[in-house]
Amino acid sequence: MVSVTIIGIGRVGGALALSLPPDSYAIENLIVHGGSDLEPIAQKLFPRPTVTTLADLSEVASDIVFITTQDANIVPAAKELVSKLRKSPVVFHTSGSYASSILDDLRAVDYKTGSLHPLVSISQAESGPSRFRNAFFCIEGQIEAVEVGKQIALDLGGQPFFIDTKFKTLYHAAAVTGCGHLVALFDAAVEMMSKCGLSRDESKNILMPLVTSTVQNLSEQNTAAALTGTFARADIETFKRHLTALN
């Protein structure tokens, strides 16, 4: 049985706690910042983990430690862990934007470190088991950590892939473009549609099948073949009419 400590129980940390197979992983500690209420998550785990703050925990003796805090808190958490870790755990952070090198305080004292980032949107911890299944997990770091991360991704039902540490920022830029920018563009489309006399809810419902069919095309074809309509035709006159309508 692999013992696990999770530091920072937000959406990703909570999703990991609920998703790691209980026949292979035992969640020992859920470490919170301040007065976070983790009872709904802790009650679903057996045996029940210790719920505490990092300052109040005298030592961490787990086999694996996940730092799932907000990005700004990763380094402070790693620094505090240096004096608390026992055994020789593998320490991961789950940030998409930072490489494993942000854990150099731990690596300097010979702990194995890596990053494991699930490339999927987690809106609430309870959705973790279904969202992680078949999701891709980006893994990088020291060789030993990468091997452990690969097994974790497989145990979650996901598909691991590996990049060089130096490409982590570029990887994250691609992920943000494919996800966050998509939502921002869809919001702009809803806003434009709503100016046609429709409510925002109506506009969203009308546009969703179009977006869904486009994503389906992308899953079945390359990007050039998936392009349809005005873009595929390079219809300059239609583009001009669009610009006029926006002014």
Side-chain angles (χ1 to χ4, degrees):
M1 184 71 71
V2 178
S3 56
V4 177
T5 288
I6 303 176
I7 302 173
I9 315 300
R11 289 174 290 188
V12 173
L16 282 171
L18 296 174
S19 303
L20 288 167
D23 58 342
S24 300
Y25 298 86
I27 311 298
E28 288 188 329
N29 305 296
L30 298 178
I31 298 179
V32 299
H33 178 73
S36 301
D37 180 15
L38 293 187
E39 280 306 306
I41 291 176
Q43 287 176 358
K44 296 178 181 179
L45 303 175
F46 182 82
R48 183 77 66 88
T50 298
V51 178
T52 185
T53 65
L54 191 54
D56 290 335
L57 195 65
S58 59
E59 65 176 36
V60 178
S62 299
D63 300 311
I64 296 172
V65 177
F66 290 105
I67 301 177
T68 60
T69 62
Q70 294 182 1
D71 286 358
N73 296 325
I74 295 174
V75 170
K79 288 179 180 293
E80 194 165 354
L81 272 175
V82 170
S83 63
K84 295 179 182 287
L85 290 177
R86 302 295 179 263
K87 299 183 179 179
S88 297
V90 178
V91 183
F92 294 97
H93 73 69
T94 57
S95 168
S97 59
Y98 284 102
S100 58
S101 55
I102 199 174
L103 300 177
D104 277 351
D105 285 310
L106 291 165
R107 188 178 301 185
V109 289
D110 210 29
Y111 292 115
K112 304 307 178 186
T113 59
S115 73
L116 184 150
H117 180 246
L119 194 56
V120 66
S121 294
I122 302 291
S123 58
Q124 56 183 357
E126 290 74 13
S127 67
S130 61
R131 293 294 176 87
F132 286 152
R133 197 172 301 117
N134 296 320
F136 284 90
F137 286 75
C138 179
I139 303 167
E140 57 83 25
Q142 293 174 279
I143 294 174
E144 299 89 341
V146 167
E147 285 302 309
V148 173
K150 174 183 177 181
Q151 188 58 55
I152 292 169
L154 292 172
D155 288 341
L156 289 168
Q159 304 179 62
F161 70 100
F162 314 97
I163 62 170
D164 192 292
T165 296
K166 67 183 179 182
F167 293 125
K168 189 65 183 292
T169 300
L170 182 61
Y171 152 81
H172 189 247
V176 170
T177 300
C179 181
H181 290 192
L182 175 64
V183 174
L185 284 171
F186 185 74
D187 182 70
V190 169
E191 179 67 20
M192 286 186 277
M193 185 69 80
S194 67
K195 294 184 182 300
C196 300
L198 301 164
S199 70
R200 285 189 64 87
D201 284 345
E202 289 173 324
S203 299
K204 176 185 174 182
N205 290 338
I206 289 168
L207 288 168
M208 273 305 302
L210 174 63
V211 174
T212 301
S213 64
T214 300
V215 172
Q216 184 65 36
N217 287 344
L218 283 170
S219 72
E220 298 170 352
Q221 302 168 296
N222 62 38
T223 52
L227 201 60
T228 63
T230 304
F231 282 95
R233 297 191 302 271
D235 190 339
I236 301 301
E237 291 303 316
T238 298
F239 281 128
K240 290 179 179 178
R241 292 200 303 274
H242 289 173
L243 291 173
T244 301
L246 290 171
N247 293 328

